[in-house]
Amino acid sequence: MYPDRPDLLNKLPSSEDLSLSKLAKGFTMTNTCNTAKKIQVLLKEEIAKVCKEKGLTDNKIEIHTSYCWQHLRNVWFGAVETALNNTLVNQLEDSLASIPSMYRVNMDIVTFYRGVEKMVGGTANYAKGSGKEFVFYKVEFHPTTYLYPLTRACGGTRQDLSVEGAPSILMNLPLYLQFLRWRSGVCGTSGDGILATNLQVYL
């Protein structure tokens, strides 16, 4: 890579020096699923085994393990989301029953986030959405309003969708509502399909 720089080449370890024993004072981090936790245990055992084969004593082997802080946060938030869904269903049972089922209104928060991205997301590429119209409306009528991005709602399946989606929905709420009303005024309520009506009920 750098044939004329022996000073750099001398810093690269040889293949014989590449070994798990380099992790004798190392640190491993995984998420909290059973498979990842099992791999972490096996890896720690293998590192200790290789270290001892290299002649390292126990007092020189100190392998630290941890779980990903972001994954832990998301697992916690996933439980919050489930509890919130159940609470809303119980409190709004009568109201939900009065909404025609064709509008698919429920208290599943992730479904709601994905519906928003399908409707107003510029990259969702959803045929029944209004992403281009939303961009026009925002630039034409609210050019100085900051639009908080709804991060990969249609592409994510983990709890981080809720962590990242909640602030965006909250901050963009006035703009979303104004756009939906403007859209109904331009297209007429007959132009409000299931998705648009669904979001108007939600928001």
Side-chain angles (χ1 to χ4, degrees):
M1 197 170 183
Y2 298 99
D4 300 325
R5 294 292 305 276
D7 58 318
L8 294 178
L9 294 174
N10 290 335
K11 295 181 182 295
L12 298 176
S14 65
S15 59
E16 292 78 11
D17 292 331
L18 296 176
S19 169
L20 285 177
S21 62
K22 296 289 186 180
L23 292 172
K25 297 284 186 179
F27 182 90
T28 65
M29 179 185 293
T30 67
N31 64 33
T32 58
C33 73
N34 290 332
T35 301
K37 290 164 69 175
K38 180 64 173 178
I39 291 174
Q40 188 178 54
V41 170
L42 294 176
L43 178 59
K44 182 177 180 180
E45 293 175 352
E46 186 63 21
I47 293 171
K49 175 184 174 183
V50 172
C51 287
K52 291 181 179 180
E53 290 175 351
K54 292 283 186 178
L56 276 70
T57 57
D58 288 339
N59 64 331
K60 292 185 178 180
I61 303 173
E62 189 176 349
I63 308 160
H64 301 276
T65 60
S66 179
Y67 298 129
C68 171
W69 67 269
Q70 180 161 321
H71 186 79
L72 290 172
R73 177 197 67 183
N74 289 336
V75 169
W76 173 82
F77 204 87
V80 172
E81 177 189 307
T82 299
L84 179 60
N85 287 350
N86 294 337
T87 299
L88 290 174
V89 167
N90 291 333
Q91 292 186 355
L92 302 175
E93 183 177 3
D94 293 338
S95 297
L96 291 171
S98 67
I99 300 172
S101 60
M102 66 175 291
Y103 294 123
R104 305 168 190 171
V105 176
N106 55 52
M107 291 297 104
D108 182 35
I109 297 173
V110 172
T111 298
F112 168 56
Y113 292 154
R114 289 178 176 158
V116 171
E117 185 169 60
K118 285 180 177 181
M119 187 67 192
V120 299
T123 59
N125 297 321
Y126 185 66
K128 297 180 181 179
S130 298
K132 292 181 180 179
E133 291 85 350
F134 178 69
V135 171
F136 165 80
Y137 173 81
K138 196 269 181 196
V139 172
E140 182 72 14
F141 300 106
H142 301 277
T144 61
T145 301
Y146 183 80
L147 183 65
Y148 290 79
L150 184 61
T151 308
R152 60 187 183 86
C154 291
T157 57
R158 297 176 59 177
Q159 299 98 329
D160 53 1
L161 171 56
S162 295
V163 176
E164 297 173 359
S168 299
I169 296 290
L170 180 62
M171 298 305 294
N172 294 335
L173 181 58
L175 191 60
Y176 290 156
L177 286 171
Q178 291 173 47
F179 168 70
L180 290 171
R181 294 194 189 103
W182 172 83
R183 183 181 178 278
S184 293
V186 172
C187 302
T189 54
S190 61
D192 286 346
I194 292 176
L195 179 58
T197 304
N198 171 280
L199 293 180
Q200 290 192 64
V201 173
Y202 264 122
L203 296 171

